[in-house]
Amino acid sequence: MPIHAAKHQVGSRKGLDDKINKSDHQVSLRHCLVALGTILLATLGFLLRKRFFLEPADSYVLCSTNGKQIHLVDEQNSLVECLVVHGSYIQDVGDLADIQQRWTYSQEKALPIYYTQPGSIIVPGMSDSHAHILEYGASRIIPLNQGKTIKEVVMSVRDYIVSDPDINNNKSKLVQGWGWDHTVWSEGRWPTADDLDADPDIHGRPIILQSKDGHAIWVSRATLDDNGPYPEHVDGGVIQTDSDGNPSGLFLDNAQDLIHKPEATDADLHSLFSITVRDALAYGLTSIHDAALAPESLAFFKRQALLQAEEGTLPIRIYGMTYFNESGEYWGDRVVPLINAGNGRLHCRSVKMFADGALRTGGAALYEPYTDNPSTNGFMRTPPEIINKVIPRFLGDGWQVNIHAIGDRANGIVLDAFEEALSDVDVTTLRPRLEHAQLLTEADMKRIGKLGVIASVQPTHVIDDMWYAEQRLGSERVKGLYAFRSILNNKARITLGSDAPVEGINPLAGFYAAITRFSEDGTSPHGPDGWFPEQRLTRQEALRGMTIDPAYASFTELTLGSLLPGKRADFVILSQDIMSVAVDKILESRVIATVLDGRPVYGSFL
């Protein structure tokens, strides 16, 4: 169905009148007068219908005031001046004169033309290719991440308890939190149950506190007592003990499963979901790949999609990963991948596995022992024999396989399995992913590109881990950590995420970290040029890494990730040009509007 544009304007059009007049110089005066009357009537109806510009029209033209400031993120990385939106889709793109030439004015249907604020730019809707949606919501409840000592974290738990009468008056009520980070504590040790119970307002209460990276749980004495007795050994995990050999209150990786957590209600999960969606949309995210730390997350998203199928849509696009329990049985031939649920906003055609632990907690599986702890080289959460067994089966049954791999040994084992499984398969139909791909040997960097494996990386981890990484890995081995440029040079595809709540959910923080490799204050262990600056990404690579590349990694590149005709009208208006502004100004950028399916879901461009 053709769309007809008209010279209807809302907001500022300073500097653009000359362009419009010049392109219309051949239109007769009579035609102009008729068209003007029609436009005025259409404008009045539009105002009444949309309640004075609270929402844009169903079809409209959106133009930048500064010339070509709309980044299409196509193969040529083109810039244009305007885009035409019809319903949920982009109908056309181009310069204003081109748009006017291609679309005939009509007395029956006139499209309003909106203009962005001076200095702003438009980019495709941004994606976080690795985050934990409900866990991020949980991390926002108690500010555990702000504690720089064990005592400060304990005080934040105490303040939360006494501020809520329902919890304060019920000592049996479980208190849960997320986000403590032992690497920034002055004590230089792991926390214990006794640290929590030393506070009189906490003593005797069941407490479960998840670490920032999700690989450790810190519990109170009451929680320890409720979940015992404990085994002496856990495959792929560690139970920290005191001097007498008794559990101290800290559980790493697979040992976390020993601590029972009550099943959350849908009301609880919806509250966490709402917190994440609020923050994500405010930061310009239109899509999140949920990396399945908890299996109940995807089940909740499916229920939400079914509930909202008739009433509306999910408030954000979700690419869910189905959790595979490393000790569980294979299910890939019994479960059907989920595509286009929730009115096209929920997909799940991938499985998430954990190969090893985390670098922060010393659980990443290395070929050689840790430099700062020669007694261990980490561990595999999933035994290599299981990895080698299930990867070919999942791929054979049509599932994308996304595997958490941090250490060089873990990445090598996973790539061995991918190489064997992909020998007779078209990799582009399956698109396997290394989630994190943090530490790689030079040989494995070459294999990623050769095999067509996607490296799903998190740039904000770089500027967080760089302060302790060399001490942990040594001066030579650390060169293979977060080697983004080397991965790209080996013709691999990189997609960017945050790993929220391990890091914040703002995609521009990842953009900044990827192109600078220094902290927000402009510092790094290697000076003002950044930490291993030769591994930086260009701005264009970083933009593609959070738009079209995540779309490819989720099989949605035909509908998302760039602003081309026929694709969904998902885009973000930023207050300044992140592609050219000084790097120390990037994080000052504001999201003016986040648009999903052509409708603003945060802010406004009206």
Side-chain angles (χ1 to χ4, degrees):
M1 176 180 178
I3 299 177
H4 302 290
K7 295 183 297 179
H8 176 66
Q9 175 186 355
V10 178
S12 172
R13 60 182 295 165
K14 184 178 181 181
L16 292 169
D17 287 330
D18 290 341
K19 292 183 179 180
I20 294 175
N21 291 334
K22 186 175 181 180
S23 64
D24 286 347
H25 70 279
Q26 295 178 333
V27 181
S28 68
L29 178 61
R30 183 176 59 84
H31 189 133
C32 288
L33 291 174
V34 173
L36 180 61
T38 302
I39 291 169
L40 291 173
L41 290 174
T43 301
L44 179 60
F46 173 77
L47 284 167
L48 294 174
R49 187 170 65 254
K50 297 301 177 183
R51 296 185 180 181
F52 302 99
F53 301 101
L54 290 179
E55 295 182 8
D58 293 333
S59 298
Y60 56 87
V61 179
L62 180 60
C63 298
S64 57
T65 59
N66 306 97
K68 297 181 179 182
Q69 290 297 320
I70 300 177
H71 293 257
L72 299 185
V73 193
D74 57 1
E75 290 298 324
Q76 296 75 35
N77 295 317
S78 304
L79 292 169
V80 299
E81 189 176 5
C82 302
L83 55 84
V84 179
V85 174
H86 177 46
S88 299
Y89 295 89
I90 296 170
Q91 190 80 4
D92 196 2
V93 297
D95 296 340
L96 178 61
D98 296 333
I99 294 295
Q100 289 178 314
Q101 183 177 6
R102 284 196 289 269
W103 302 99
T104 306
Y105 296 121
S106 169
Q107 298 180 18
E108 299 175 355
K109 187 171 185 179
L111 285 187
I113 301 179
Y114 306 118
Y115 296 95
T116 60
Q117 296 179 11
S120 64
I121 67 168
I122 298 176
V123 300
M126 294 182 282
S127 294
D128 189 322
S129 64
H130 185 112
H132 305 280
I133 295 175
L134 299 183
E135 290 79 7
Y136 174 84
S139 75
R140 304 288 286 173
I141 295 175
I142 307 177
L144 302 181
N145 63 317
Q146 296 179 12
K148 303 306 179 185
T149 66
I150 292 175
K151 184 176 181 180
E152 286 181 7
V153 176
V154 171
M155 287 300 296
S156 67
V157 176
R158 181 255 178 204
D159 291 344
Y160 172 74
I161 290 171
V162 299
S163 68
D164 189 325
D166 290 338
I167 298 175
N168 196 31
N169 296 329
N170 183 2
K171 294 199 69 170
S172 65
K173 190 173 181 64
L174 174 65
V175 175
Q176 299 187 74
W178 189 298
W180 56 269
D181 181 7
H182 72 289
T183 67
V184 302
W185 294 345
S186 59
E187 292 91 343
R189 66 173 175 86
W190 290 109
T192 68
D194 290 340
D195 291 318
L196 287 168
D197 281 83
D199 187 286
D201 290 300
I202 295 177
H203 182 79
R205 295 177 183 272
I207 310 287
I208 300 176
L209 305 177
Q210 189 80 52
S211 66
K212 174 180 177 177
D213 61 8
H215 288 264
I217 282 179
W218 171 20
V219 303
S220 63
R221 183 64 56 184
T223 300
L224 264 181
D225 294 341
D226 289 343
N227 288 273
Y230 300 97
E232 294 184 3
H233 175 75
V234 176
D235 290 336
V238 174
I239 303 173
Q240 291 283 346
T241 57
D242 58 23
S243 58
D244 296 324
N246 298 314
S248 65
L250 190 81
F251 299 80
L252 303 179
D253 287 296
N254 288 355
Q256 297 175 100
D257 296 338
L258 299 173
I259 302 300
H260 173 73
K261 297 179 182 178
E263 185 174 347
T265 66
D266 265 19
D268 295 332
L269 298 177
H270 194 276
S271 177
L272 302 180
F273 185 43
S274 297
I275 292 171
T276 304
V277 169
R278 178 199 65 200
D279 287 2
L281 296 178
Y283 283 127
L285 288 171
T286 56
S287 176
I288 299 177
H289 299 189
D290 188 80
L293 196 63
E296 59 265 25
S297 296
L298 185 57
F300 169 75
F301 300 144
K302 289 179 179 178
R303 292 195 298 273
Q304 289 298 300
L306 289 174
L307 287 173
Q308 298 187 35
E310 295 182 0
E311 300 176 5
T313 59
L314 287 169
I316 197 167
R317 300 192 193 282
I318 300 172
Y319 185 70
M321 306 179 198
T322 304
Y323 178 74
F324 176 77
N325 187 329
E326 42 266 39
S327 61
E329 64 178 74
Y330 180 76
W331 45 260
D333 55 351
R334 300 191 308 274
V335 178
V336 178
L338 186 67
I339 300 175
N340 282 324
N343 289 329
R345 293 194 179 179
L346 176 63
H347 302 261
C348 179
R349 55 181 300 176
S350 66
V351 58
K352 168 71 180 297
M353 300 172 61
F354 284 86
D356 62 345
L359 187 66
R360 182 182 298 275
T361 50
L366 308 178
Y367 284 118
E368 301 295 334
Y370 282 86
T371 301
D372 62 349
N373 185 8
S375 66
T376 181
N377 64 338
F379 49 81
M380 295 292 291
R381 284 184 60 167
T382 305
E385 56 268 24
I386 293 181
I387 288 175
N388 292 328
K389 178 181 178 181
V390 302
I391 283 181
R393 294 191 66 184
F394 274 118
L395 292 174
D397 285 324
W399 288 87
Q400 181 189 46
V401 178
N402 304 343
I403 302 189
H404 163 112
I406 303 290
D408 51 7
R409 178 170 176 255
N411 278 289
I413 288 172
V414 173
L415 286 172
D416 286 343
F418 278 150
E419 189 167 22
E420 178 67 25
L422 296 170
S423 58
D424 298 320
V425 178
D426 178 11
V427 68
T428 60
T429 65
L430 300 173
R431 306 179 190 183
R433 295 166 47 161
L434 280 175
E435 301 299 321
H436 308 302
Q438 284 187 8
L439 182 63
L440 294 160
T441 64
E442 289 187 12
D444 282 342
M445 290 180 198
K446 294 178 181 178
R447 276 208 294 175
I448 291 180
K450 181 180 177 181
L451 294 174
V453 173
I454 298 167
S456 173
V457 303
Q458 297 76 44
T460 45
H461 284 341
V462 178
I463 60 176
D464 193 0
D465 294 358
M466 66 183 180
W467 299 103
Y468 68 85
E470 187 166 340
Q471 178 185 1
R472 184 148 298 177
L473 296 173
S475 59
E476 284 302 313
R477 185 167 46 179
V478 75
K479 295 176 182 177
L481 185 68
Y482 302 117
F484 299 158
R485 169 59 50 203
S486 296
I487 294 174
L488 279 181
N489 287 347
N490 282 288
K491 298 182 173 24
R493 188 186 293 260
I494 280 182
T495 181
L496 307 185
S498 68
D499 203 11
V502 182
E503 307 291 351
I505 206 168
N506 182 3
L508 294 186
F511 179 89
Y512 168 87
I515 69 171
T516 65
R517 293 176 76 94
F518 49 66
S519 294
E520 293 182 12
D521 61 2
T523 62
S524 84
H526 291 171
D529 290 333
W531 190 65
F532 293 111
E534 67 274 12
Q535 296 294 346
R536 290 180 298 202
L537 299 182
T538 67
R539 298 194 196 211
Q540 199 66 60
E541 289 167 343
L543 179 61
R544 296 183 71 87
M546 58 190 191
T547 52
I548 191 61
D549 291 330
Y552 176 85
S554 58
F555 302 90
T556 56
E557 76 276 11
L558 296 181
T559 57
L560 302 174
S562 59
L563 300 177
L564 297 177
K567 288 197 173 188
R568 292 278 186 175
D570 289 7
F571 57 87
V572 179
I573 305 176
L574 298 173
S575 62
Q576 60 179 347
D577 187 359
I578 61 171
M579 306 303 286
S580 63
V581 71
V583 293
D584 61 349
K585 301 296 183 183
I586 289 174
L587 295 179
E588 297 177 7
S589 305
R590 295 178 297 102
V591 172
I592 295 174
T594 302
V595 179
L596 261 170
D597 283 333
R599 320 304 295 169
V601 290
Y602 171 82
S604 174
F605 53 81
L606 302 178

